[in-house]
Amino acid sequence: MSDKSKPIAKARAISGFPEYTPDLRRAELRWIDTIRQVFERHGYVNIETPSVEEVETLAAKGGDVDKEIYGLQRLNAEGDEKGARLALHFDLTVPTARYVAQHFNDLSFPFKRYQIQRVWRGERPQEGRFREFLQCDVDVIDQDEISHDFDAEIALIAMQALNAVGAGPIRFMLNNRKILIGFYEGLGIANAADVIRVVDKIDKLPIAEIERILVEENGLPADTAKACLALAQIRSTDNGFADEARKLGVTNALFEEGLAELETVMDRLNAADKGDCVVEANLAIARGLDYYTGVVYEVQLVDYPEYSTICAGGRYADLVGAYIKRDLPGVGISIGLTRLFAKLVKEGVITGERASPTDVLIARFAESDVLELDGLANRLRERGINVEVYHAPAKLKNQFRYAERKGIPYFWFAGEPHEVKDLGAGEQEAADPDSWLPARLKS
């Protein structure tokens, strides 16, 4: 018996660590399975790396890592054991880079991999930002050079995955950093990376404020700053962006190379079945991280334009170079599954699925032989049907109530003949355990 005098701890979730009721968790699992299937249909293999990495491994990516990662140590650590040697990974890029370096001789290149795992970041929880969340990453890494076919393929995979789970309508935005860097070089800007980081904030700050920062803090002449902003405001759902960009009068080989590469990707995306997706060339997007070298992607929810980016990535330089003396460039994209799923749950777009995966509940009465019922259940399970045997002899109305509360669609009466009742339609008919199928398995 429980001790009712014992104090009861307050049951509460930890902020930034989402958890769902069974009906929503089933929907989330379906999303995971659907995305995984899309990745695998394109020939990408799955890897799973540990939840923890060496702190120095995570630090190799640079940036303010110490502000983002959760370090691990025993609560009673003493002496030399104090201080974290291991930390929870804060993205899947660093673990993948370490993995490729470690297993280099065992992998086939181009190495096409996907990961669907939880990651952890130590930041203040708010809408769209969590301390623990699921990412769905798909990347291809090759030696020395990587085919530009993958610039389009990675985008197509992400677009298909988002359409497959019903995330839309979505806006899939693309740019190429060569366009930005070449344009800035053509204008005589020496600190292109600094300007990119400023212009990348164009959707977060007023145009006038961006222009002020470029002039007053980055030292650009006023007409140069205006030219940068003119390029950044170009948007197009077809290849019209290239003509608009060239009209700005900048001549530069890298600029032209970037335009040509982006035109090719746009052609392939627009030729595909875009589903509930708008493809847009957006010449403001830069993905502020300096390791991006070519095409970059950002995806937003059309109905919630102020919400955080739900998917992003691009072509990157040698991220693996921190761990191995090989040039291994790549192209990749990450779907922020938790960020996307949580938003659609909040907005009522996702309402969950029936909580139980059970297709059939087998009735159990006082006269029932439970061993025979177990045998019947296993015959059905061997054919891919999810089955429960009611847990104790009980009145029929109690068993029906149990099935209805769990959303179990079929109720099975064992006997000669066996009969199945469709609880939704209210119809009951004879059924052969070796051939009967629920509607879920008939299509």
Side-chain angles (χ1 to χ4, degrees), residues 32-227:
I32 293 169
D33 287 342
T34 300
I35 292 170
R36 175 184 58 79
Q37 289 164 7
V38 172
F39 290 167
E40 292 188 354
R41 287 192 190 109
H42 288 265
Y44 285 70
V45 300
N46 179 246
I47 67 170
E48 182 171 280
T49 56
S51 300
V52 298
E53 297 283 349
E54 299 272 0
V55 170
E56 64 180 23
T57 298
L58 296 175
K61 185 176 179 180
D64 297 329
V65 171
D66 58 328
K67 297 179 181 179
E68 292 188 319
I69 66 173
Y70 286 106
L72 299 181
Q73 69 175 50
R74 293 187 301 114
L75 287 176
N76 61 349
E78 297 178 354
D80 293 342
E81 292 183 338
K82 285 190 173 182
R85 180 180 68 86
L86 302 176
L88 295 169
H89 55 228
F90 60 89
D91 72 0
L92 298 177
T93 303
V94 171
T96 296
R98 190 269 307 154
Y99 179 96
V100 170
Q102 184 174 342
H103 299 281
F104 178 80
N105 292 325
D106 301 317
L107 302 177
S108 299
F109 291 89
F111 179 53
K112 302 167 70 172
R113 86 85 176 91
Y114 75 91
Q115 273 177 275
I116 301 177
Q117 287 185 239
R118 296 187 183 278
V119 299
W120 295 266
R121 290 185 188 173
E123 57 183 352
R124 184 173 65 84
Q126 53 187 298
E127 187 179 33
R129 293 191 178 275
F130 302 89
R131 289 170 172 161
E132 179 184 63
F133 51 97
L134 271 170
Q135 283 189 190
C136 305
D137 283 22
V138 59
D139 289 75
V140 55
I141 297 170
D142 208 349
Q143 302 181 64
D144 301 323
E145 294 183 2
I146 183 166
S147 170
H148 281 286
D149 279 2
F150 291 117
D151 294 343
E153 180 174 291
I154 288 292
L156 284 166
I157 291 171
M159 187 169 69
Q160 289 175 11
L162 290 168
N163 277 322
V165 297
I170 58 174
R171 177 170 286 105
F172 203 111
M173 300 174 290
L174 304 97
N175 196 7
N176 192 308
R177 282 176 69 103
K178 292 178 183 178
I179 296 173
L180 301 177
I181 295 171
F183 187 83
Y184 298 159
E185 287 178 353
L187 290 172
I189 297 173
N191 58 337
D194 291 341
V195 174
I196 284 175
R197 279 189 284 272
V198 174
V199 174
D200 197 35
K201 299 175 182 178
I202 197 166
D203 290 332
K204 301 178 179 67
L205 296 173
I207 295 293
E209 177 63 10
I210 296 289
E211 185 174 356
R212 185 197 67 77
I213 294 172
L214 290 175
V215 173
E216 296 181 9
E217 299 181 21
N218 290 77
L220 298 189
D223 59 343
T224 301
K226 289 183 184 299

Side-chain angles (χ1 to χ4, degrees), residues 338-354:
T338 299
R339 175 179 290 177
L340 171 59
F341 189 85
K343 179 63 174 176
L344 296 185
V345 168
K346 179 184 177 183
E347 299 297 336
V349 177
I350 296 174
T351 56
E353 302 180 359
R354 63 184 179 90

Side-chain angles (χ1 to χ4, degrees), residues 159-390:
M159 187 169 69
Q160 289 175 11
L162 290 168
N163 277 322
V165 297
I170 58 174
R171 177 170 286 105
F172 203 111
M173 300 174 290
L174 304 97
N175 196 7
N176 192 308
R177 282 176 69 103
K178 292 178 183 178
I179 296 173
L180 301 177
I181 295 171
F183 187 83
Y184 298 159
E185 287 178 353
L187 290 172
I189 297 173
N191 58 337
D194 291 341
V195 174
I196 284 175
R197 279 189 284 272
V198 174
V199 174
D200 197 35
K201 299 175 182 178
I202 197 166
D203 290 332
K204 301 178 179 67
L205 296 173
I207 295 293
E209 177 63 10
I210 296 289
E211 185 174 356
R212 185 197 67 77
I213 294 172
L214 290 175
V215 173
E216 296 181 9
E217 299 181 21
N218 290 77
L220 298 189
D223 59 343
T224 301
K226 289 183 184 299
C228 293
L229 289 170
L231 180 73
Q233 293 177 79
I234 292 175
R235 309 282 187 274
S236 176
T237 56
D238 55 25
N239 285 346
F241 71 89
D243 290 337
E244 291 186 54
R246 291 186 180 103
K247 288 177 183 177
L248 297 176
V250 171
T251 302
N252 178 276
L254 187 64
F255 172 64
E256 289 295 334
E257 185 177 321
L259 290 174
E261 289 176 3
L262 186 56
E263 284 179 305
T264 299
V265 175
M266 289 289 290
D267 281 341
R268 289 188 62 183
L269 292 183
N270 279 322
D273 179 3
K274 296 189 289 295
D276 207 4
C277 173
V278 174
V279 174
E280 177 185 275
N282 181 327
L283 301 194
I285 291 173
R287 303 299 302 155
L289 300 168
D290 291 341
Y291 58 70
Y292 286 115
T293 58
V295 64
V296 286
Y297 324 104
E298 285 192 7
V299 184
Q300 293 180 337
L301 293 168
V302 171
D303 292 337
Y304 313 102
E306 303 304 317
Y307 192 61
S308 304
T309 298
I310 60 166
C311 177
R315 172 176 284 257
Y316 49 82
D318 187 20
L319 292 182
V320 185
Y323 313 105
I324 188 174
K325 292 182 179 179
R326 300 295 298 256
D327 187 11
L328 297 168
V331 184
I333 200 165
S334 177
I335 299 171
L337 187 143
T338 299
R339 175 179 290 177
L340 171 59
F341 189 85
K343 179 63 174 176
L344 296 185
V345 168
K346 179 184 177 183
E347 299 297 336
V349 177
I350 296 174
T351 56
E353 302 180 359
R354 63 184 179 90
S356 173
T358 305
D359 296 310
V360 175
L361 176 66
I362 297 178
R364 183 176 174 185
F365 305 106
E367 66 274 16
S368 298
D369 184 331
V370 70
L371 297 182
E372 289 184 3
L373 298 185
D374 284 344
L376 169 62
N378 286 328
R379 285 168 68 186
L380 294 169
R381 289 176 187 133
E382 287 171 358
R383 298 178 48 244
I385 302 169
N386 301 330
V387 182
E388 288 184 51
V389 177
Y390 195 71

